[in-house]
C-alpha cells in the first residue's frame, strides 16, 4: 500500500476546535492518513471516536491507525495500529498476526537503530522523532536532525519525520528521503486545519 505523505497526529487537548471537526477539516484539505493518539480517553469514548474518524476518512479513501491498542484497531476495523517506542519486535509480529497481512503496522522510533529493528520485525512504516525542536514533546531528548533521517532511509522502511515539522521544513524532510511528515501541533493548534493540510501537501507532493 502506498502511504500518503502527510500523517495527521491527533491531540484533542491542543486542538483549537473539537477533534472530529479538526480531522474533518484536515480531510477536506487533502489529508488521508490519521493516527489516533489521545491515549488518556476512556476505552468506550476512544472506541466511539475511532469509529467516527473512520467514517470521516472512509469517503475519501483515507486510513486510520490507532495508537497502541491492537484490540481497539481490530474491533473498530481501523486500517491498522501505531505501536509506541516501548514496543519490541515481538509486539510488531503479534500485531501483524492479530490484524492480518493487509493491516498497517506503524512504530514510533527515536533512533536509526530502532528504525532498523522495526523494519526487520515487519512494520509497514515508522515515525522518527524528534527531527526538529518541538513544543509538543519536549521530553524526548536532543533533536535527531535531517542527517538521521537520511540514515534511516537505508533500511527500506517508509519513515515519517515527526517533531517540529512545519511548512518551512517539510520539503527538506522529503528531500532527505522521508516518505512523508507526521504533524500534530502544526495542524491541531492552527485556526485553519483545512488550509494547513493543503499547505503541507502542496510542499510534499
Amino acid at each position: 500500500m502506498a502511504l500518503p505523505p502527510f500523517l495527521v497526529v491527533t491531540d484533542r487537548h491542543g486542538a483549537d476546535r473539537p477533534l472530529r471537526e479538526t480531522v474533518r477539516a484536515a480531510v477536506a484539505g487533502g489529508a488521508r492518513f490519521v493516527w489516533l493518539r489521545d491515549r488518556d480517553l476512556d476505552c468506550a469514548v476512544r472506541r466511539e471516536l475511532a469509529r467516527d474518524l473512520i467514517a470521516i476518512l472512509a469517503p475519501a479513501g483515507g486510513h486510520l491507525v490507532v495508537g497502541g491498542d491492537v484490540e481497539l484497531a481490530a474491533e473498530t476495523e481501523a486500517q491498522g495500529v501505531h505501536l509506541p517506542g516501548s514496543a519490541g519486535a515481538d509486539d510488531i509480529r503479534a500485531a501483524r498476526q492479530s490484524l492480518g497481512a493487509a493491516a498497517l503496522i506503524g512504530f514510533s522510533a527515536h533512533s536509526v537503530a530502532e528504525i532498523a529493528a522495526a523494519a526487520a520485525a515487519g512494520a509497514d512504516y515508522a515515525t522518527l522523532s524528534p527531527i526538529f525542536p518541538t513544543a509538543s514533546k519536549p521530553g524526548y531528548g536532543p533533536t535527531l536532525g535531517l542527517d538521521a533521517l537520511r540514515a534511516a532511509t537505508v533500511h527500506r522502511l517508509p519513515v515519517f519525520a515527526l517533531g517540529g515539522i512545519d511548512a518551512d521544513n517539510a520539503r527538506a524532510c522529503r528531500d532527505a528521503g522521508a516518505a512523508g511528515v507526521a504533524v500534530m501541533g502544526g495542524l491541531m493548534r492552527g485556526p485553519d486545519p483545512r488550509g494547513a493540510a493543503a499547505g503541507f501537501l502542496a510542499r510534499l507532493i
Side-chain angles (χ1 to χ4, degrees):
M1 180 188 297
L3 296 173
F6 182 53
L7 173 56
V8 175
V9 187
T10 70
D11 174 21
R12 75 189 192 286
H13 296 299
D16 282 355
R17 60 183 74 189
L19 187 55
R20 290 168 177 83
E21 183 180 336
T22 300
V23 171
R24 187 176 289 108
V27 171
R32 298 293 182 265
F33 193 13
V34 176
W35 165 11
L36 172 58
R37 290 183 82 253
D38 293 277
R39 291 168 293 193
D40 59 327
L41 284 170
D42 173 82
C43 290
V45 174
R46 198 169 187 232
R47 184 186 307 116
E48 182 180 2
L49 177 58
R51 286 176 171 152
D52 287 348
L53 296 186
I54 290 168
I56 292 168
L57 284 157
H63 314 298
L64 181 80
V65 290
V66 176
D69 193 331
V70 175
E71 290 184 4
L72 181 60
E75 183 180 353
T76 59
E77 298 185 355
Q79 280 69 48
V81 67
H82 189 104
L83 299 174
S86 58
D90 288 344
D91 298 301
I92 293 173
R93 295 186 186 104
R96 173 68 66 208
Q97 183 174 9
S98 177
L99 297 177
L104 289 171
I105 310 297
F107 178 77
S108 290
H110 303 289
S111 70
V112 177
E114 290 180 352
I115 292 287
D124 294 298
Y125 74 93
T127 54
L128 181 63
S129 67
I131 301 300
F132 303 112
T134 171
S136 298
K137 307 187 84 172
Y140 274 75
T143 57
L144 299 174
L146 294 175
D147 287 343
L149 196 54
R150 290 188 189 93
T153 63
V154 305
H155 297 291
R156 300 182 182 277
L157 180 71
V159 176
F160 286 76
L162 172 63
I165 308 299
D166 58 31
D168 294 327
N169 59 36
R171 184 69 239 178
C173 294
R174 283 285 265 175
D175 291 343
V181 300
V183 177
M184 182 167 64
L187 188 130
M188 291 286 125
R189 287 196 294 269
D192 179 16
R194 177 174 181 165
F200 273 108
L201 284 161
R203 290 163 173 82
L204 294 168
I205 297 175

